[in-house]
Amino acid sequence: MNMIEVNNVSMRFNMAKEKHESLKEYFLAAVQGKLQFEEFYALRDVSLKVEKGEFHGLIGLNGSGKSTLLKIISGVFKPTAGSVTVHGSIAPLIELGAGFDMDLTARENIFLNGTVLGLTPQYIREKFDEIVEFSELRDFLDVPLKNYSSGMVARIGFSIATVTKPDVLIADEILSVGDFMFQEKCEERMRQLMSGGTTVLLVSHSIGQVERMCDRVTWLEKGRVRMSGGAREVCDAYRALDEQAASAQRAAAKKPMEVKKD
Amino acid sequence: MQLLKAYAHDFWRYRYLLQNLIGRDFKLKYRRSVLGVAWSVLNPLLMNIVMVVVFSTILDMRGSGIKNFPVYLLIGQLLFSFFTEGTSSAMGSMLGAAPLIKKVYIPKYIFPLERVCFAMVNCLFSFIALILMMILTGAELHATVFLALYPLVTLFLFTLGVGLMLAAATVFFRDVMHLWGVFTTALMYFSAIFYDPLQMGSFTVGGTELNVSQVIRFNPLYWYITGFRATVLDGTGLTWSMVWICGLCAVLALALGLIVFRRQQDKFVLHI
């Protein structure tokens, strides 16, 4: 059964050369016929199917559309064309602690963020100890979040987001936060979720991690699917790209520097 | 109908979020102030005293002819400040929620709704000031006081509708924020807060003579405030025109607000 179905999705952004944020500017530009948008496709005709219980990785260079795809799947963006279907509940971990209020304490934020993710206060109360235990921040519960380090904020965020048993977990670069001890703990927690039948979609720049954890991998390049398949195969191809780039660089370095003369 | 059903479903699903957001605003508003929530009561009370003194001594705006002027004035102030607070905070709500809605899917109308609810909570607290003032001035308590719920609820819906429209407009044009401030100031003088329109004379605009008490009928806020006064202060109950105008304005504003907001909401995330 496919948990996530992405069918021929394209996402177009209007990159206004200058954003018109006031009426005057807008009308002036409209009158002068300067209301031009540069169309930019972050995704073009992307299709993706993720089966139940699969650990799917998304790789690609910066700006290849990975995060845009995740945001479309989690409902933040509406695609310009194509359709997305997700079966079951989603826990989006696009950014850990999105929606934290830095003036509130960790305790208050756990409740606020939990409800952002659609949990009931009763459920959060039941799981409160588990969340705190996992984040290892019991001593700092009543400290406003603005006094936390970014790693501590991420710990709390991860603990809340994974306390439920979501059907689909969407994770954007989140495993790169925290110290290595916590990273291991996060990986462990994700495996636990997986064994409970959760489907995971992971974006990471750490190819080693992707290869280690994922079953299948999709490689995006400039908004299109370059390759999709088994983790080993795709990761090897992606690494080859790295070597190509490296050898190209070496070749460039070997060439004698051209000195411009006027 | 389908649309309303979808809204109701979302609302039910995210009711705890709404609760928590209101709770957050409340905590943050009074954090680090010694008197805390008491300010919700003290603030309108002190403002009221200032205005009573100003309008009954320095500028005699015919406040002297009005029965129980302090309470009359306070009702106008409270309802009007609910409207301005509700609309102007709803207006900025989408910008304020930017870090959140860029990362997680949440029905967007939650944010303007939350701001208007928060303004209502504040308004309800400040009714303690109204009760205090009524006791101090020895105002009679009428059985019609329960009818005050009608102008209050319809005013809430009206404010929500206006707030939704403003929130959608502000995402695309930040100018709206500045304009609205000016507009509400002008509106304040036209909502019969510190005068009785029947006592005001007429004024001329471009050669035609207009009566204040005639023109003010086009201001919905005037009807909410007058309706509230009629039930709480005068004990006369609501007239038919109060009932239908308050109701109609609320329904129209809300319907328009929901339509405008819904049309634009998918684009919000690209503009904030």
Side-chain angles (χ1 to χ4, degrees), chain A residues 20 37 54 144 179 212 214 240 242:
Chain A
H20 303 284
F37 294 109
E54 187 179 320
D179 48 47
R212 191 169 68 243
C214 297
D242 191 38

Side-chain angles (χ1 to χ4, degrees), chain A residues 61-77:
Chain A
L61 302 175
N62 286 335
S64 57
K66 304 182 298 291
S67 295
T68 307
L69 185 58
L70 288 195
K71 283 185 179 183
I72 289 175
I73 292 172
S74 58
V76 174
F77 288 147

Side-chain angles (χ1 to χ4, degrees), chain A residues 13 19 21-23 26 71 74-78 94-95 98-99 101 103-104 108 111 115-116 120-121, chain B residues 14 16-17 20-21 24 27-28 31 99-106 172-175 266 269-271:
Chain A
F13 289 106
K19 268 215 171 143
E21 286 192 342
S22 79
L23 274 176
Y26 184 84
K71 283 185 179 183
S74 58
V76 174
F77 288 147
K78 263 216 166 153
I94 304 249
E95 187 176 291
D101 195 304
D103 286 321
L104 294 178
E108 289 162 334
F111 279 91
T115 47
V116 165
T120 65
Chain B
Y14 283 93
Y16 297 116
L17 175 61
N20 258 304
L21 287 172
R24 172 195 68 175
K27 274 179 209 150
L28 292 181
R31 186 156 281 184
L100 200 50
I101 59 175
K102 278 183 176 175
K103 304 288 191 286
V104 192
Y105 170 77
I106 298 173
F172 303 104
F173 299 107
R174 310 285 140 95
D175 309 59
D266 291 334
V269 75
L270 304 174
H271 288 262

